[in-house]
Amino acid sequence: MTATPTGPGAIPDPGEVTFAGIQKAAKLIRGAVLETPCLPAPALSALTGAEVFVKYENMQVTGAFKERGAIVKLASLTADERARGVIAMSAGNHAQGVACHAKRLGIPATIVMPESTPFVKIAATKSYGAEVVLAGETVHEASEEADRIASERGLVWVHPYDDPRVIEGQGTITLEMLEAYPDLDMLVIPIGGGGLISGNGTAAKAIRPDIEVIGVETVLYPGMWGDFYGKEVRCEGATIAEGIAVRDVGKLTRQIVKKVVDDIILAKESTIERAINAYLTRLRTIAEGAGAAGLAALMTEPERFAGKKVGLILCGGNIDPRLLSSIVIRELARDGRLVSIRIDTPDRPGVLGEIATIIGNLKGNVVDVAHHHLFLNVPAKGTTLDVTFEAFDAHHGEEIVAALRERGYRVRHMDVAESIE
């Protein structure tokens, strides 16, 4: 393999990405990355109405698929390029993939990451010995800084998605999926810059021209969707799927996507949260926002996938534990299984016990209580209780609230996050 110039200004020929190149990449990475399992997911099938199969790329050493493309690109470098060192720009997963395998190959690595990158991804990247530079609020701003450093130091770009070798490395996922389940009807693949779907779409269409390749982006960053359909779009905002929060999709990948992708679905933030929670609670596995985007697409348009054999790439599991905890709590609240209420009561002995007894007798479980005397909107001889309790479901929660009101208590519903804060 020969190195290809792939700084931000380079536009490689899409013909450089080939099925033969993906097959060659598969041989190259064998033994260097895990051949992750692709397994049926009956719990997700019951949830979505499709017959779902999940490719667990969150089981890679770095927690994401990005190692595949990073290895193939690094292996293509000349001795001189390896000695000079490499630079990558990434919100986290590509950073870890490059840092991990650059260290293994003895190649100096500099990684530029947006300042908003989750701490867990920054710490992991540093742990592999790479020099980490935090710059800008977005991937675009980080890319500009990486380009400046590359020019200043003479470093070789390892682009996260707009590089033929990287794309071919990512396409090895589909080789493994279709070997395990050759009769899949659809692949649903997250899109950030487009490297993952370009490689896997190319492989899928070469093996099975009739298979549908569906992309998914967050509604806040619909860059590829806009290019695919010729629509003007805005890419901005804080998203839970920072791994696919790409403002400027690849110059190369956009050409490949138009050839191999059948459609692109946009998923809402709340739907991606639900998908993260579904992976955790139904499959007992961890998905970051980008990793859960494929499942979010099925939740967004369930009728489209009903009865079809659908392959999902759980492309990454590097999520901040505090964020994951918050999502779980929010989903419990959405399902009505965690209820937070504010109760105005007289300030007399036994009131708290009476309220707890009412909730307990109806099989509710009190998990948090805050007692307020000093609110100015509370009478001098009154008090306010904020109570959060677990219920079996939304109907059960309303039964408990109704019982409190029947006993004369004034009860108002609160946002669970508000009560916890």
Side-chain angles (χ1 to χ4, degrees), residues 103-177:
K103 180 180 180 180
R104 184 174 62 84
L105 296 170
I107 301 172
T110 301
I111 311 295
V112 182
M113 309 178 82
E115 293 176 355
S116 57
T117 302
F119 292 150
V120 63
K121 294 184 179 182
I122 295 172
T125 304
K126 288 182 177 179
S127 74
Y128 294 116
E131 176 190 351
V132 174
V133 177
L134 300 180
E137 288 298 318
T138 66
V139 169
H140 177 73
E141 292 172 357
S143 178
E144 291 179 337
E145 177 63 12
D147 193 31
R148 186 193 66 77
I149 295 172
S151 299
E152 182 181 275
R153 302 185 191 175
L155 304 178
V156 179
W157 261 92
V158 182
H159 200 280
Y161 47 84
D162 221 18
D163 182 291
R165 304 293 81 80
V166 169
I167 292 170
E168 287 174 343
Q170 320 305 28
T172 59
I173 297 172
T174 285
L175 298 186
E176 296 170 12
M177 293 181 75

Side-chain angles (χ1 to χ4, degrees), residues 332-339 362-364 389-401 413:
L332 287 172
R334 286 191 179 108
D335 291 344
R337 289 183 291 158
L338 193 63
V339 182
L362 290 172
K363 307 302 182 186
F389 64 88
E390 291 178 306
F392 299 135
D393 51 32
H395 179 70
H396 182 217
E398 285 303 319
E399 284 185 347
I400 293 172
V401 169
H413 282 278

Side-chain angles (χ1 to χ4, degrees), residues 65-66 91-93 121 139 161 189-197 215-224 235 237 239-249 265-269 272 288-294 296 315-316:
F65 75 99
K66 289 284 192 174
N93 291 333
K121 294 184 179 182
V139 169
Y161 47 84
I189 303 172
I191 300 177
L196 180 64
I197 198 168
V216 56
E217 293 180 297
T218 168
V219 293
L220 295 178
Y221 288 84
M224 192 67 81
C235 295
T239 173
I240 195 170
E242 77 285 337
I244 54 173
V246 177
R247 183 169 295 169
D248 298 312
V249 298
I265 292 172
L266 301 181
K268 295 180 180 178
E269 291 293 302
I272 296 173
E288 61 184 271
C315 58

Side-chain angles (χ1 to χ4, degrees), residues 402-414:
L404 290 167
R405 287 171 174 160
E406 287 174 5
R407 294 294 294 269
Y409 293 110
R410 182 169 175 251
V411 181
R412 291 165 285 165
H413 282 278
M414 295 173 59

Side-chain angles (χ1 to χ4, degrees), residues 21 43 52 63 93 113 144 158 167 170 188 206 210 233 257 342 368:
V52 179
N93 291 333
M113 309 178 82
E144 291 179 337
V158 182
I167 292 170
Q170 320 305 28
V188 184
D210 61 321
V233 297
V257 163
R342 177 164 289 171
D368 188 69

Side-chain angles (χ1 to χ4, degrees), residues 55-77:
K55 179 68 166 165
Y56 289 87
E57 285 295 290
N58 62 339
M59 294 178 67
Q60 296 292 355
V61 171
T62 61
F65 75 99
K66 289 284 192 174
E67 292 182 44
R68 295 172 181 263
I71 292 173
V72 177
K73 176 61 178 180
L74 291 171
S76 75
L77 301 182

